[in-house]
């Protein structure tokens, strides 16, 4: 995993229409957070947004694959995040729209996690 400073700065700027976000380093990439919730990942200068049962069909309709990374045991698939549409990188309004849906998925997941007994 690698991530350039220019890409990180671009994503933070592009997301300003959605909200102020913070980046937390993670295994050579970064978690993108708002209000303490991770709703996106950055890896290899690629943006991945949080997906759940409500917004996953949007990603699938656009043919956007889930996040994968290479582990010592081979490729690992993370279905909870999908590649962001290219339109997000070109259009701040699209970025805002997709970030809102992904943040809602993160809020929903956090609420579900609190309700589920250990």
């Amino acid at each position: 995993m690698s991530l350039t400073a220019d890409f990180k700065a671009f994503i933070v700027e592009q997301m300003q229409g959605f909200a102020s976000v913070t980046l937390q380093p993670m295994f050579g990439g970064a978690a993108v957070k708002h209000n303490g919730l991770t709703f996106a990942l950055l890896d290899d200068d690629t943006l991945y947004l949080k997906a759940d049962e409500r917004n996953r069909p949007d990603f699938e309709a656009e043919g956007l694959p889930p996040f994968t990374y290479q582990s010592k045991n081979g490729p690992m698939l993370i279905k909870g995040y999908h590649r962001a549409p290219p339109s997000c990188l070109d259009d701040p309004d699209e970025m805002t729209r997709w970030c809102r849906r992904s943040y809602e998925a993160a809020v929903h997941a956090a609420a579900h996690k609190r309700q589920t007994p250990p």
Side-chain angles (χ1 to χ4, degrees), residues 14-32:
Q14 196 73 350
M15 288 183 174
Q16 287 301 307
F18 162 66
S20 178
V21 299
T22 58
L23 302 182
Q24 179 178 345
M26 186 177 83
F27 306 113
V32 182

Side-chain angles (χ1 to χ4, degrees), residues 11 25-26 41 49 62 72 76 79 90 97 101:
I11 291 300
M26 186 177 83
L41 302 174
L49 296 169
E62 299 254 350
K72 64 181 179 180
M76 299 297 291
K79 291 184 180 182
D90 299 329
R97 185 172 75 80
R101 300 283 318 274

Side-chain angles (χ1 to χ4, degrees), residues 69-80:
Y69 68 94
Q70 192 64 33
S71 77
K72 64 181 179 180
N73 298 322
M76 299 297 291
L77 179 76
I78 308 295
K79 291 184 180 182

Side-chain angles (χ1 to χ4, degrees), residues 3 12-13 15 17 43 49-51 59 68 108 115 118:
L3 189 58
V12 169
E13 180 180 327
M15 288 183 174
D43 183 46
L49 296 169
K50 180 97 173 132
F59 291 98
T68 59
H108 183 259
Q115 293 174 354

Side-chain angles (χ1 to χ4, degrees), residues 26-102:
M26 186 177 83
F27 306 113
V32 182
K33 296 184 171 213
H34 175 64
N35 288 337
L37 293 177
T38 299
F39 72 96
L41 302 174
L42 303 178
D43 183 46
D44 287 332
D45 284 355
T46 303
L47 172 63
Y48 297 89
L49 296 169
K50 180 97 173 132
D52 67 6
E53 67 278 354
R54 295 171 300 160
N55 69 346
R56 186 172 290 110
D58 297 335
F59 291 98
E60 292 170 349
E62 299 254 350
L64 299 164
F67 175 62
T68 59
Y69 68 94
Q70 192 64 33
S71 77
K72 64 181 179 180
N73 298 322
M76 299 297 291
L77 179 76
I78 308 295
K79 291 184 180 182
Y81 291 87
H82 281 255
R83 183 183 294 259
S87 60
C88 287
L89 303 179
D90 299 329
D91 182 346
D93 292 335
E94 278 293 294
M95 179 69 85
T96 296
R97 185 172 75 80
W98 283 83
C99 284
R100 278 190 185 126
R101 300 283 318 274
S102 292

